[in-house]
Amino acid sequence: MPTGARMKHFSINEKLHIQGTVFLITMKIEHKIIFVLFVLSSLSMESMAEINGFGGSFWNQQSLNGAVILEGRYRSLKTVLENRFDEFQKTAIATGRLLLRSRSYIWHPNFMLLNIDLDYQPGNRRDNYLVIPDRSETQIAERGHIEAAFFDQRPLSVVLFSNLNHSYINRELLTNIETYKTDFGGMLRFRNRSFPSSLRYLQERWSQKELATGRQFRNRRKNLTCNVSQSFSSRDAHQLLFAWDDYRRDYGSGQFIENKVSSINLRDNFFFDKEQSSSLNSLVWYYHQTGNEQLNRFQLFENVGVRLPKNFRFLGNYQYARFSQPTLSSNRHNFNSRLEHQLFLSLRSMIFYEYSFLRQSHFSELNNTVGLGLKYRKKIPYGIFMLNYEFRRRHQNRSSRPGVLTIVNEEHRLEDAAVILLDNPFVIAGSVVVHDATGTIIYQENLDYVLIQQGNFLEIQRLPGGEIPAGAAIFINYTAEQQLSFQFNSFGNNVGTNVSLFNQLMEFYFTFFNQDNSNYSLPESRILKYITRRVYGIRSSYSFISAGFEFDDYNSNIIPYESKRFYIAVSGQLAERVDAVITGNYRDYLLNADNERQKFSDFSGRVNYRIFQNSRFSMEGGYRIQNGRGIDLKLSTFRGEFSTLYRRIILTLGYETYFRKFSDERRNFNGTFLRIQRQF
């Protein structure tokens, strides 16, 4: 984990408070400036135009609109901890909100375009202990945006911009977050036929605080980007991108990351025919980083696709990647090739070969894979029959010496209700570091994710309400006990069949996968994965309703399990004035090795009812429950809202509630609100 010295003179909390106070003062000053600009933009300055000798006005207002919103809310929150400590909070507040949008130009649209947006909500969320829960809505406290574009239609144009934002958001109804963010910058664009290019500079600061946990993040970033593109003919395209970043991210408690990054990226596309069915794509990327985490990375990627006679097609790519840090270096070569043939419209066949060689500081690994595949699609009475088959043979040879294995940037995608294991066994406890693609966001165990020991392997699960979004790609660094040299052959068969009847009214599908090993020489057999997997499923779709059942029998020497899944979805117009989206899922995992269960259930729905032409009623809600070691959660939500339009006034009345039991805490929230909005 990154470390740094504790700040001097002020504590982190004091500095965050000072930063927030300065930010709010800056916001107020900026809002006054923006307000003055709005007033000026509404005045026609004919006299100044005459003084300057221009036929048109100096300031030309294209549009000026916005809204005034008055809102009252009553909210209550009861919190009960496992030690029976309970707290009841309630509040009644009235807030106002002003939205203004101005579009104007000075002298001529091609001289200066000026866009100003203001969103001001005075007094919003002064009771910071509570934020109205909503999955998608961000509560704005203050926001300002100003942008000036000079010579917009000329070969050389300049854009200057600045943004200020203070907002609250609820992450998955579990974590309330307050964010301050400011940025400013500009862009220089050069339009021409030879080398169209742009130069962009951005400087931003933001701070984020999780109100319930007190976890704090602060980020300071400077970015410079230069982009040049060119095409010499209709059959080629090229782009050169240079970027420079200087960022510092503070995690609280004196922990921070501070790095400077320079990168250059060259993309080239060549097309061999007018239809662009045969092409060569090239990417060269160099990345240099200094600071707390020093590293260098170079990547080369070449991809070719060629249409051949007799319905043949060749696809191939080569990738070279070099990675180096003070304590680790890595070189990788990957080559993939595939020859495909299309027979009529029903049968596509292919053969392929894959080569991979990796050399790291502590080991080297060679993989050779060959295989073939078939895809068959045929119309049958009342439906369609599909059959897929793939065979793979892989030889793996690793040369290593006893010691510690260092893994950098192992990629996984965390899906809820899915079993994700780290690739290597015998991971050393406490060495796991999980971060995002950029490496600037370091996720924290037991807040953003949980690690579960499964035999000699580690399972990773995201925690709802943490910083890791569902389905997001993460990158993991860790160390593990180095395995001695080994080699083995593995064989895999993958079969899939699908029968669709009566225009997808009924679908039956079955997939089978097995992986076996032979000719192996290794000291630890747990490295080998023996897998036999069978998936049976049935699904049905009719009009706006679809439903299905799936059984997954995963038999493995690593983590065998059985999974049952039910799902249903309703989407569409149920009646003339009623629209609805309703989904339900249930999945039950039985981890056979430890006789352990993980259960996931969720139900959500949204219904809109148009009562009259200008009136509607909507409600949405959800229920989610998950049980398992370290992932227990119960969550239920409901929100109802009535809205009507009367003489350009929008009146909205609503009620919302949720109940949550997570970890050792239970929360029960109730709230009502009344909103009056007048647009102009």
Side-chain angles (χ1 to χ4, degrees):
M1 291 290 293
T3 58
R6 186 176 297 276
M7 294 183 178
K8 298 180 180 180
H9 306 301
F10 296 101
S11 68
I12 291 178
N13 289 335
E14 291 171 334
K15 285 209 167 188
L16 185 64
H17 176 73
I18 294 172
Q19 180 184 355
T21 304
V22 172
F23 181 88
L24 288 175
I25 295 174
T26 305
M27 289 290 294
K28 293 178 180 180
I29 296 174
E30 290 290 339
H31 287 158
K32 292 179 180 178
I33 296 173
I34 293 173
F35 177 74
V36 172
L37 289 175
F38 270 107
V39 174
L40 291 176
S41 67
S42 64
L43 301 177
S44 177
M45 304 183 66
E46 298 290 345
S47 58
M48 185 172 288
E50 293 177 0
I51 293 174
N52 290 278
F54 291 91
S57 62
F58 174 80
W59 197 295
N60 299 269
Q61 190 74 49
Q62 292 180 306
S63 65
L64 178 62
N65 54 68
V68 176
I69 304 172
L70 299 177
E71 185 173 353
R73 291 183 178 270
Y74 172 81
R75 301 172 296 175
S76 67
L77 175 67
K78 183 176 182 179
T79 304
V80 180
L81 302 180
E82 194 174 72
N83 60 8
R84 296 187 177 181
F85 169 81
D86 65 87
E87 181 181 26
F88 183 75
Q89 301 169 328
K90 61 181 179 180
T91 181
I93 60 173
T95 62
R97 187 174 181 182
L98 174 65
L99 292 89
L100 291 173
R101 293 178 293 272
S102 172
R103 305 290 182 266
S104 57
Y105 65 88
I106 293 180
W107 280 321
H108 190 277
N110 200 29
F111 173 67
M112 177 181 174
L113 294 172
L114 182 64
N115 298 328
I116 303 175
D117 291 346
L118 172 64
D119 189 345
Y120 183 53
Q121 201 165 355
N124 187 34
R125 305 296 171 261
R126 298 311 175 194
D127 50 342
N128 288 345
Y129 63 85
L130 183 61
V131 177
I132 290 180
D134 192 290
R135 287 185 184 274
S136 59
E137 181 183 2
T138 301
Q139 305 296 329
I140 301 296
E142 296 96 11
R143 179 179 63 85
H145 168 77
I146 182 170
E147 178 181 295
F150 299 87
F151 317 114
D152 187 59
Q153 301 300 320
R154 295 297 182 181
L156 182 64
S157 63
V158 178
V159 177
L160 303 176
F161 60 87
S162 179
N163 296 279
L164 304 99
N165 188 288
H166 174 211
S167 62
Y168 296 81
I169 191 171
N170 187 280
R171 187 190 296 143
E172 297 183 279
L173 296 174
L174 295 173
T175 306
N176 302 322
I177 299 168
E178 182 180 15
T179 301
Y180 295 94
K181 184 176 182 181
T182 62
D183 66 67
F184 68 88
M187 182 167 60
L188 181 68
R189 291 182 295 192
F190 185 49
R191 301 183 183 91
N192 63 85
R193 294 184 178 180
S194 300
F195 292 98
S197 56
S198 65
L199 181 66
R200 183 176 185 268
Y201 176 77
L202 173 68
Q203 183 170 322
E204 65 179 5
R205 291 177 179 269
W206 66 266
S207 63
Q208 183 182 92
K209 182 179 181 180
E210 295 182 355
L211 301 181
T213 65
R215 186 166 55 152
Q216 300 170 358
F217 304 94
R218 285 177 294 174
N219 187 71
R220 186 249 323 143
R221 176 176 176 246
K222 299 177 183 178
N223 171 260
L224 180 67
T225 304
C226 180
N227 191 338
V228 180
S229 58
Q230 175 60 297
S231 295
F232 297 97
S233 69
S234 60
R235 296 190 179 185
D236 69 283
H238 313 273
Q239 182 184 45
L240 178 64
L241 178 67
F242 170 78
W244 174 83
D245 276 281
D246 179 1
Y247 64 84
R248 176 189 174 104
R249 184 173 175 92
D250 292 303
Y251 296 87
S253 303
Q255 299 177 347
F256 67 87
I257 289 180
E258 188 171 14
N259 291 317
K260 291 181 175 63
V261 179
S262 299
S263 64
I264 187 168
N265 185 315
L266 176 62
R267 296 177 181 270
D268 299 289
N269 298 322
F270 300 93
F271 305 101
F272 303 140
D273 54 10
K274 294 181 179 180
E275 295 79 15
Q276 298 185 357
S277 59
S278 299
S279 63
L280 171 65
N281 304 315
S282 174
L283 170 64
V284 181
W285 182 55
Y286 176 71
Y287 182 97
H288 176 68
Q289 178 174 296
T290 60
N292 296 102
E293 299 176 328
Q294 300 181 20
L295 65 90
N296 286 284
R297 183 180 296 162
F298 174 78
Q299 285 186 295
L300 172 66
F301 184 80
E302 304 291 334
N303 184 73
V304 62
V306 181
R307 179 190 291 178
L308 302 173
K310 305 294 184 180
N311 291 329
F312 281 94
R313 179 174 176 80
F314 173 78
L315 301 170
N317 65 70
Y318 168 75
Q319 182 178 9
Y320 170 73
R322 185 181 70 230
F323 176 91
S324 62
Q325 283 184 316
T327 59
L328 177 68
S329 63
S330 171
N331 284 272
R332 178 185 291 273
H333 299 266
N334 288 334
F335 173 74
N336 300 292
S337 62
R338 185 166 77 246
L339 181 64
E340 298 180 348
H341 179 257
Q342 186 72 45
L343 180 62
F344 305 113
L345 297 175
S346 57
L347 180 62
R348 172 176 293 186
S349 56
M350 67 188 75
I351 57 173
F352 56 87
Y353 170 71
E354 299 172 0
Y355 168 86
S356 173
F357 177 73
L358 171 64
R359 183 186 296 277
Q360 281 196 3
S361 304
H362 308 292
F363 73 96
S364 62
E365 184 175 288
L366 174 66
N367 288 277
N368 280 287
T369 304
V370 295
L372 57 88
L374 299 171
K375 294 184 178 181
Y376 180 72
R377 178 186 175 95
K378 183 68 174 177
K379 288 186 177 181
I380 60 176
Y382 310 109
I384 297 175
F385 171 76
M386 291 181 289
L387 176 66
N388 301 324
Y389 173 73
E390 182 179 279
F391 168 78
R392 285 177 175 265
R393 179 192 181 277
R394 180 167 69 100
H395 173 73
Q396 181 173 344
N397 188 329
R398 174 180 287 192
S399 298
S400 60
R401 57 182 183 271
V404 175
L405 175 65
T406 302
I407 303 298
V408 177
N409 288 344
E410 179 178 302
E411 183 177 358
H412 292 280
R413 191 169 296 274
L414 297 189
E415 299 280 358
D416 288 338
V419 178
I420 307 296
L421 298 178
L422 301 190
D423 291 344
N424 293 276
F426 310 116
V427 175
I428 297 176
S431 68
V432 176
V433 177
V434 183
H435 59 85
D436 70 336
T438 65
T440 60
I441 300 179
I442 307 297
Y443 302 117
Q444 297 187 27
E445 186 178 0
N446 298 323
L447 288 176
D448 303 315
Y449 66 92
V450 62
L451 297 174
I452 304 171
Q453 193 72 42
Q454 300 288 2
N456 294 329
F457 286 80
L458 270 184
E459 177 187 358
I460 182 169
Q461 286 264 6
R462 68 176 286 270
L463 286 177
E467 281 214 332
I468 304 175
I474 62 167
F475 296 83
I476 307 176
N477 303 340
Y478 61 89
T479 56
E481 295 181 20
Q482 174 77 279
Q483 303 302 303
L484 299 178
S485 300
F486 63 84
Q487 63 176 343
F488 63 89
N489 295 330
S490 67
F491 302 86
N493 293 275
N494 196 343
V495 182
T497 181
N498 180 289
V499 178
S500 177
L501 302 174
F502 308 111
N503 195 23
Q504 297 185 339
L505 177 62
M506 295 295 297
E507 283 189 76
F508 304 90
Y509 61 92
F510 168 75
T511 61
F512 171 81
F513 173 77
N514 82 304
Q515 177 177 298
D516 204 348
N517 303 279
S518 66
N519 298 327
Y520 51 84
S521 172
L522 68 168
E524 175 54 63
S525 61
R526 293 279 290 180
I527 297 174
L528 300 178
K529 295 182 180 181
Y530 294 89
I531 301 172
T532 300
R533 185 180 189 184
R534 296 176 176 86
V535 179
Y536 309 84
I538 179 174
R539 53 179 170 247
S540 176
S541 298
Y542 178 75
S543 185
F544 50 79
I545 302 177
S546 61
F549 167 76
E550 183 177 279
F551 177 76
D552 186 354
D553 181 10
Y554 185 89
N555 189 13
S556 168
N557 63 318
I558 304 298
I559 179 169
Y561 66 83
E562 294 179 1
S563 169
K564 299 175 184 178
R565 181 191 175 210
F566 302 88
Y567 59 92
I568 186 171
V570 177
S571 177
Q573 189 170 351
L574 304 185
E576 183 179 357
R577 297 181 179 180
V578 180
D579 298 319
V581 177
I582 302 172
T583 61
N585 292 274
Y586 171 78
R587 172 162 284 183
D588 181 359
Y589 278 102
L590 173 61
L591 306 179
N592 296 326
D594 299 322
N595 196 27
E596 180 182 337
R597 304 194 85 93
Q598 292 181 351
K599 296 182 180 181
F600 303 86
S601 304
D602 66 85
F603 173 85
S604 62
R606 184 178 68 252
V607 179
N608 294 318
Y609 174 46
R610 295 184 300 276
I611 304 173
F612 305 108
Q613 182 177 0
N614 296 324
S615 301
R616 67 175 181 86
F617 174 75
S618 64
M619 60 180 180
E620 58 181 310
Y623 173 78
R624 182 176 181 180
I625 182 171
Q626 55 188 50
N627 295 319
R629 184 157 38 115
I631 60 172
D632 286 346
L633 169 69
K634 290 183 179 180
L635 179 67
S636 60
T637 65
F638 175 81
R639 178 186 176 105
E641 184 177 290
F642 170 78
S643 179
T644 185
L645 174 64
Y646 178 73
R647 293 186 178 181
R648 296 186 180 180
I649 297 178
I650 301 175
L651 179 67
T652 304
L653 177 65
Y655 169 76
E656 53 194 349
T657 180
Y658 82 87
F659 172 80
R660 181 190 75 184
K661 182 179 180 182
F662 182 63
S663 185
D664 59 349
E665 181 184 76
R666 288 185 298 168
R667 288 193 169 195
N668 191 5
F669 169 87
N670 289 278
T672 60
F673 61 91
L674 173 65
R675 183 187 305 121
I676 303 174
Q677 178 174 340
R678 175 65 163 87
Q679 293 182 323
F680 59 89

